[in-house]
Structures are given as structure tokens and as C-alpha cells.
Amino acid sequence: MDLPPLATLPAAFAGTLWGIFGGALPGISPSIAMALLLPLTYGMDPIPAIVLLASVYVGAEYGGSIPAILIRTPGTNASAATTIDGFAMAKAGRAGEALGISLVAGLGGGLVGLVFLVLATEPLAELALRFTPPAYFALAVLGLSVIAGLSSGSLLKGLIGAGIGLAIATVGTDPVSGVPRFTGGSAELLAGIRPILVMVGLFAVAEMFSQISEPPWDRADARDTRLKLPSFAVLRQTFRAQAIGWGIGTFEGVTPGAGGTVAAFMAYNEARRWSRTPEAFGHGSAEGVAAPEAANNVVTATALVPLLSLGIPGSNSAAVLLGGFLVHGLTPGPMLFAKAPDVVLGLYWGLLVANIAMLLLGLVILTPCIWLVNRPKPYLIAGILCLIVSGVFAIEQSLFDVGLVLGFGVLGYLLRLAGVPMLPMVLGVVLGFMLESNFRRSLVLSGGDWMIFVEDTVSLILLLLAAALTVWSAWREFAARPKESA
Amino acid sequence: VGAGGVPMAIALLVAASGAALLLRSVPRLHAAGETVAWGDHLRAAGLAGLLALAIVLMPWLGYAPTIALLALSVAAYAGARRDLLLPLVALGLAAVLWLAFVGALGVPFPRGTLTGI
């Protein structure tokens, strides 16, 4: 096979840069960043066009982690898990180190995902085909099973947080009957509440409400002012966490609908479970940054498996990429590999270049980003709030959404005072629709027979796994208590 | 299971967890004797008020003037020194965000009915 045209190189670099820029702006999701470039690809050759769009996806998924670490504002849904330890490191003056770990773990994740994509697209696609509504329901339950680990020591408060998150996910049109629920007659709520609005409110706006009363940055402390790539010792220390991210990201990526958000949260939780220093998680753990970043970036490649092999877009971003294929008369699916192998090969090369571009561009832009967040605190708070207003409005051109984010900011501030952890709530919002819609579809399919959840093999395996993880987490919490009180 | 089934189950989960938490917390309430930092909460409420005001004003003033005003008021409220730098930063921030969101991304922000901007 021939090498792809040289035009893929600038396309990959330009796409990655645009993606990092879009991903770093709260509200500009990877799919929006891709969709904005879609019209540009009409006049391009197919390979650079597809590479351009795929590179935006790679760049945007990474870019979302930059504000997540520096200002506790997840630029994308999938970067929410990175805020936990990334921002804790930044607050401790280790922003450059956190960004360096994120960059290298992201690169590693992207490359591992690419290898999986190239070598295992067909066998992994068969796994995706086995997912029926009961299996999707069980997958959501598996995702929720990490709540115990994300509850910061209070399972009851974690359950309350998850319940509030699940309740938020029920707002909008009922997924089966089409009945409006909890909309209060508002047309803006008919489509439901986007998870990114909840996350930006809970994490970023609530953080600003807390920061307004805290003293200015301490100029005497040793705050990082430059990007700091991880040493070999740190890479070795975080290897296990990254490997967990690779495994979970691969599984979640090939499953249409699961995506990077669930992968990142699960990777974070499992990395803590298997860590030698689980107590450091939540307080600036390098592993706590590496695991979700590796998982999130593996998904950028493995999420393309169902698209390329079956023609199923498993996410909004994959749907925009599908649009890019269709614009050029290409139909993703089993025949793509036979009819247009040059395009598939070009895409693989493009993703490789995009990941390398991510590293090179990260080396250039991250130090200025750190400089920016070390400006005097009053200006930083003003800048972050203006960025949030702009980014949130940009999602749907809706001031109502900006009002919702303000409301979630107030809710997040109050829940913080009550000690309710945010992460179970975010997980509830992300998984709520998947959980309910597939639960009820399954019951419609079975005529109301609940046995469908154990008769479906994939569903049964996932439910057993969820039960095992929950019991294990609960047992560890229980076993740890006497030691703490001693 | 109808449209109300899952929300009802969630409500029961939250209610049961809340009740258990309350039962566990009541004996500790009197012992804790924590003071409430009302000053901090009022400052947070003030910031929320500025944000709410910006949402209300944007259709009247337009995107860029509202952002400049929001930046100015929040920075001043957060303790920035009242010198020339303050309005310069506010205007600069509004210009940069306008370039990013309107210039580069083409987001159609509302034009102000009062300013036409």
C-alpha cells in the first residue's frame, strides 16, 4: 500500500491545534469543534479531510484537560475526572507537573488506542455487536458501581449525590413514551440538561464562589511556572494507572454510547483501588491524573472501531466524522476496508501524526497557559466567569443554559457545604439517560419480564462485575474504618 | 415501568439516604458547635448576583459590552486594585473572547437592543 499524501501532515497539525483550542473552551465540545470545520472539508481530498476531522477529535479530547487541571473547569465531559487530582496538584503549585503527566499519559493513551484500532478493529467490532438494550443497562450499572469509591468516605452522601445526578438526567422528554418530565413547561428543558452544563456549574462556578472569599495566591510558595514533563520515576510510578486506563478505555471505546467520560471515571476509580498510595487520590496524585487521561485518550481511537467496521457512530464526534465520510462518497462499514483501503490507512497515519502533534503543540502552548492562570486572582476569577458565560452560551446559543449553569454553581456550592461529593452526581447525570432508556426498552422487549437482564449473557457478566466491584468497595471501606478510628 | 417509575425510584433512593444520614447526624449536631461563615456565603451570593445580572443585561447591552462589564465588576468585587489596569483588562478580555467566539468560531451572540453591538 502507498503512503498517504503529504497533505495529511498539515491537516493533522491544523486539526489538532483547532481541537486543543476548541476543547479548552468550556462549551465547545469535540463534536462542535469538528462540526465547525466540516464545511471546510467539502473542497478537500477525502484523506486530508477525514484526517483533519479526526485530528480535531484527538486535539479536543486532550484540550479539555487543560482548563480541567488549571481552573477546575472541564473543557469536555471526558475531562471531568481529571479535575479531581489535576486541580489539586495545580492548587498545590504543581500545575506544570500535572499538565506534563496529562500530556504524556494522553499521548500514551492515544498511541495504545491507535494500535488497538489498527490491529483489532474487526474482532472488537463483534463485541460492539453483542450489545443489546439489557447489556447497555448493565453497562450503566457497572459505571455507577464506582460510586462507592468516589464518595470521599461517605457512601450515604455519595448515594445522595448520585440520586441528584440521576434525577437531573430525568429532566426532559421521557425516552420511551415521549412525555415531558420536570420541564415546568419550559421548551428549553424538553431536550434535557446537557452534562457539560452540570459539570461546569458544579466544578467551575462553585469553585469561583468558594475562591471569592479565600486569600490571594501566596506568591511565596513554589508555584510551577513552566510545563514539567514527568521523569522516568514518575512514569514508572504511574504506569499501572495508565495501563488500567488503556484497558478500560479500550472496552468503553468500542462500546457505542459509553464513551470517554465513563472510561475516565472508571479508570480513576480502578487506579485508586489498585494503587499503592490510594490515600493520595483526591489530594494531587500523579496516578489520579494519569489514569483518566490515558483512558480518555484511548477512547479517541477505539471509539472509531464501531464507526469504521460497522458504520455505527457511537458518539456525537463519531457522527460528525461519519458526516465527513459521507460528504466524500464513502460509507463506513465492512466494505470500507475493501473499497477505500487508502482512506483507512490515511486515517491511521493521520491519527498517529495527530498524537505526535498533540505532544509538540502541548510543549509549546502549556507554559503560556500556566502563566495565564498565575495572574492576580481577581482578574483570574473575572476571566474564568467571562469564559464560562461565553462558552456555555456557545453550546446552544441560549442564555437559559447560562442561567442553568449559574443554578448548578449555587447547588454545587451548597452541596460542598453539606459535604456531598460531586463526582457521584456527575456520574449520575452522565449515565442517567443510558440507564433509564435501556432499562425500559429492555422491559418493553421482554414484555415486562425482568429475567431479560440475566438471560442476556453480556448483561449478566456486566451485572455480576458491577456487584463484585460494589461489594469489594464496600468491604474495603468497612475494613478501613477501624484503622482510621484507632 | 412508566415515565414516572425511574424518577420515583430515584426519589426513594435519595429520601432513604437522606433519612439515614439525618438519623446518623442528629446526635453530632449539638456536639459539633460549628460556626457558620456567613460573610463568606454573602460574598459568594454577591458573585452569583453579578453573574445573574450579566445574564439579564446581555440581551440589552449585547455580548461584548456585557462581558466587559462583567469582567470589570467581578474583578473589582474580588479585590482588584481600582486603577487604570482594571478597565484595560476588562476591555482586553472582552476583545479576546469576542475574537475567539465570534471571530473564530462564529457564535451568534445576541446584539444588544440598546447598543446595537
Side-chain angles (χ1 to χ4, degrees), chain A residues 51-340:
Chain A
V51 166
L52 179 73
L53 292 174
S55 304
V56 175
Y57 181 34
V58 171
E61 287 295 357
Y62 171 69
S65 303
I66 299 171
I69 289 170
L70 293 177
I71 56 175
R72 208 178 187 230
T73 306
T76 59
N77 289 342
S79 59
T82 307
T83 58
I84 314 165
D85 280 285
F87 185 66
M89 288 179 80
K91 263 182 115 174
R94 297 161 61 204
E97 191 186 342
L99 286 170
I101 292 167
S102 152
L103 183 61
V104 172
L107 174 70
L111 295 179
V112 167
L114 183 58
V115 170
F116 271 104
L117 180 70
V118 173
L119 297 180
T121 293
E122 287 184 56
L124 290 176
E126 284 174 23
L127 175 70
L129 268 183
R130 296 182 68 88
F131 269 76
T132 54
Y136 278 117
F137 165 74
L139 188 66
V141 173
L142 179 64
L144 286 174
S145 70
V146 306
I147 283 173
L150 297 175
S151 297
S152 310
S154 173
L155 186 58
L156 282 175
K157 287 181 180 177
L159 285 174
I160 290 174
I164 295 171
L166 288 168
I168 291 169
T170 64
V171 174
T173 307
D174 174 51
V176 175
S177 67
V179 176
R181 293 185 306 187
F182 313 118
T183 60
S186 164
E188 283 98 339
L189 288 175
L190 280 176
I193 296 172
R194 288 171 180 265
I196 190 73
L197 302 181
V198 182
M199 292 183 201
V200 170
L202 289 182
F203 290 117
V205 178
E207 179 69 25
M208 293 306 106
F209 290 163
S210 297
Q211 286 288 341
I212 194 82
S213 297
E214 288 182 15
W217 313 132
D218 183 359
R219 295 191 174 278
D221 67 8
R223 298 182 73 83
D224 270 359
T225 53
R226 302 187 71 82
L227 174 69
K228 189 175 166 190
L229 290 177
S231 63
F232 182 72
V234 173
L235 285 178
R236 203 172 55 180
Q237 180 206 341
T238 58
F239 179 78
R240 189 197 314 229
Q242 290 191 57
I244 288 170
W246 299 338
I248 292 174
T250 302
F251 173 71
E252 297 286 347
V254 299
T255 312
T261 314
V262 181
F265 274 110
M266 287 195 72
Y268 179 85
N269 195 52
E270 293 312 307
R272 179 166 62 174
R273 193 194 306 274
W274 294 99
S275 171
R276 289 193 183 92
T277 54
E279 68 282 357
F281 278 65
H283 305 287
S285 161
E287 291 173 281
V289 175
E293 284 300 291
N296 177 10
N297 285 277
V298 167
V299 171
T300 58
T302 54
L304 301 182
V305 168
L307 176 69
L308 291 181
S309 55
L310 304 169
I312 301 170
S315 64
N316 291 339
S317 305
V320 179
L321 191 59
L322 173 66
F325 275 103
L326 295 176
V327 161
H328 290 90
L330 301 161
T331 308
M335 294 306 291
L336 182 70
F337 292 82
K339 280 187 175 173

Side-chain angles (χ1 to χ4, degrees), chain A residues 18 36 157 159-160 163 166 181 208-209 212-213 378-379 382-383 386 389-391 393 397 399 406 413 417 436 440 443, chain B residues 1-3 6 10 14 17 40-41 43-44 47-48 51 59 63 67 71 75 78 80 86 89 93 97 101 105 108-110:
Chain A
W18 177 260
L36 286 167
K157 287 181 180 177
L159 285 174
I160 290 174
L166 288 168
R181 293 185 306 187
M208 293 306 106
F209 290 163
I212 194 82
S213 297
Y379 292 120
C386 290
V389 169
S390 308
F393 181 87
Q397 288 83 55
L399 277 175
L406 171 60
Y413 182 78
L417 293 179
E436 184 186 8
R440 291 178 53 204
L443 289 180
Chain B
V1 179
V6 171
I10 295 167
V14 176
S17 304
D40 290 356
H41 303 329
R43 274 185 71 73
L47 188 60
L51 201 51
Y63 171 66
I67 288 295
L86 184 59
V89 168
L93 192 64
L97 289 175
F101 283 93
L105 296 168
F109 280 96

